[in-house]
Amino acid sequence: MKKILVAGATGKQGSATAYELLQNGFEVFALTRNPQSQEAIQLEKAGAQLVKGDLEDVEVLRKTLGKVDGLYLVLPGVWVSSVETDEAEAALGIQTLKLAEEQGVQFVLYSSVMASDKQHTFRPKFKFTIEKYLLESKLQGAVIRPASFMENLILPSFGLGEGKFVNPLPEETAISWIATKDIGTFARIILQNYKYFNGKTIDFGGELFTPKQVLELLEEKLNQPIEFIQVPVEILYQQSETFAQLVEMIAKEGYDPINYDLISSWMPKLTSFEEWLDTEGGSKIKELQAAAN
């Protein structure tokens, strides 16, 4: 299996996976809405074949799926979720899997989200719906459920550009964090060893940190005080009921334990939070702060 279609190839997960595959002998078809973007141009220079379109372009998708052996499927991000956006995502994911079945794709790796099964109680049509369809279909496939991205801290909603750490999560609950480049590496490992991973669901994450521990690490690495702002769940409900319910679920139940033995048997070293801040995150946060000033 050498030819892989990477959905969302210019996004965080997609690009990390595309570059890993290219560096390890795969032929990559990179699905992108804008082939003229800097990210797409860099992928093409690295050896990817650009495919203009997105997952809603059925004919483009059908044609491309007929050329490949495997599919790395990640759905477009939704920052303000609702019942309507959840249902639309589930429908798009299943439509894509049906096209993969139709075109005889050998293996599909679907990138979901940690605790998707627990969210099923209040998000009945969402990522877990796509997972179930894949694993119950005639397709060979696996599901990877990444933890919180370290890169998300660079988003404006976290406020680090203004010297603040806006935290919507339970203040005392430790959650797992992962660098997106590690997702790309593990995705490549799964695709290289797809027969072993067929039918499996893997929670993929690294170190556990409470929000206050993240704050302490940020202050240490950036060498500056940062204002901690805890967002009340009432405010979250005003912004997105589904996200507020997720936060309540995390506070009440937490996440299931990650099988670190499985991960380390295939990938002995993950990027630590400190490493990410030293090599990438710290400089990007300082760039945000400089732009804000």
Side-chain angles (χ1 to χ4, degrees):
M1 187 171 65
K2 287 296 181 182
K3 298 179 180 180
I4 309 294
L5 173 61
V6 177
T10 56
K12 292 185 178 70
Q13 293 186 66
S15 62
T17 300
Y19 283 116
E20 266 290 321
L21 293 173
L22 288 166
Q23 291 162 11
N24 285 274
F26 286 85
E27 185 176 344
V28 172
F29 292 74
L31 187 64
T32 175
R33 291 187 182 93
N34 182 11
Q36 304 305 316
S37 69
Q38 189 61 39
E39 294 83 0
I41 292 169
Q42 290 300 115
L43 271 174
E44 188 173 34
K45 286 181 179 178
Q49 180 174 325
L50 301 184
V51 179
K52 183 178 181 181
D54 57 31
L55 293 174
E56 294 182 355
D57 293 327
V58 172
E59 290 310 313
V60 170
L61 200 55
R62 178 180 284 117
K63 181 179 179 181
T64 309
L65 287 170
K67 300 177 181 179
V68 301
D69 308 312
L71 167 65
Y72 180 75
L73 177 60
V74 57
L75 279 294
V78 176
W79 300 112
V80 182
S81 57
S82 65
V83 172
E84 290 75 21
T85 61
D86 283 357
E87 290 180 349
E89 181 169 347
L92 183 60
I94 290 173
Q95 173 181 281
T96 304
L97 293 176
K98 287 181 177 179
L99 285 171
E101 283 182 290
E102 171 195 303
Q103 294 302 309
V105 172
Q106 192 171 348
F107 187 85
V108 176
L109 176 56
Y110 170 51
S111 180
S112 183
V113 69
M114 199 165 283
S116 58
D117 50 342
K118 291 186 176 184
Q119 295 183 51
H120 191 62
T121 57
F122 57 90
R123 306 177 90 169
K125 290 186 178 179
F126 187 47
K127 294 183 185 293
F128 189 59
T129 314
I130 303 171
E131 292 181 27
K132 288 198 300 180
Y133 185 92
L134 171 60
L135 298 180
E136 293 171 2
S137 72
K138 295 179 181 179
L139 289 161
Q140 292 189 85
V143 175
I144 183 171
R145 294 174 175 170
S148 296
F149 300 171
M150 296 174 189
E151 288 81 358
N152 283 351
L153 291 174
I154 302 168
L155 295 172
S157 56
F158 277 94
L160 290 175
E162 289 75 44
K164 302 174 182 178
F165 179 35
V166 180
N167 176 57
L169 299 174
E171 188 174 343
E172 300 303 326
T173 301
I175 65 168
S176 177
W177 293 81
I178 195 73
T180 52
K181 69 176 184 178
D182 288 345
I183 300 173
T185 301
F186 203 70
R188 181 260 301 167
I189 289 169
I190 292 173
L191 290 166
Q192 285 177 321
N193 301 276
Y194 69 95
K195 291 182 180 179
Y196 171 84
F197 286 99
N198 182 41
K200 288 182 169 56
T201 297
I202 304 103
D203 286 341
F204 186 67
E207 298 167 287
L208 298 173
F209 285 87
T210 66
K212 284 295 181 69
Q213 288 173 326
V214 174
L215 174 68
E216 291 170 5
L217 186 58
L218 288 168
E219 289 184 324
E220 175 191 340
K221 290 296 180 180
L222 297 174
N223 193 29
Q224 61 185 247
I226 297 173
E227 182 183 359
F228 185 80
I229 300 175
Q230 179 66 42
V231 182
V233 71
E234 295 79 15
I235 299 297
L236 296 178
Y237 266 103
Q238 295 174 18
Q239 298 171 344
S240 168
E241 182 176 344
T242 51
F243 183 71
Q245 289 174 311
L246 170 61
V247 169
E248 289 183 324
M249 183 275 290
I250 297 171
K252 182 179 179 180
E253 303 179 39
Y255 290 108
D256 290 336
I258 294 171
N259 187 345
Y260 292 111
D261 289 339
L262 172 66
I263 294 171
S264 63
S265 68
W266 291 94
M267 189 175 171
K269 189 177 186 306
L270 297 176
T271 304
S272 71
F273 225 140
E274 289 193 16
E275 288 174 313
W276 179 76
L277 285 169
D278 286 339
T279 60
E280 176 186 352
S283 59
K284 289 188 176 181
I285 292 169
K286 287 179 180 178
E287 288 174 12
L288 289 176
Q289 293 175 337
N293 296 326

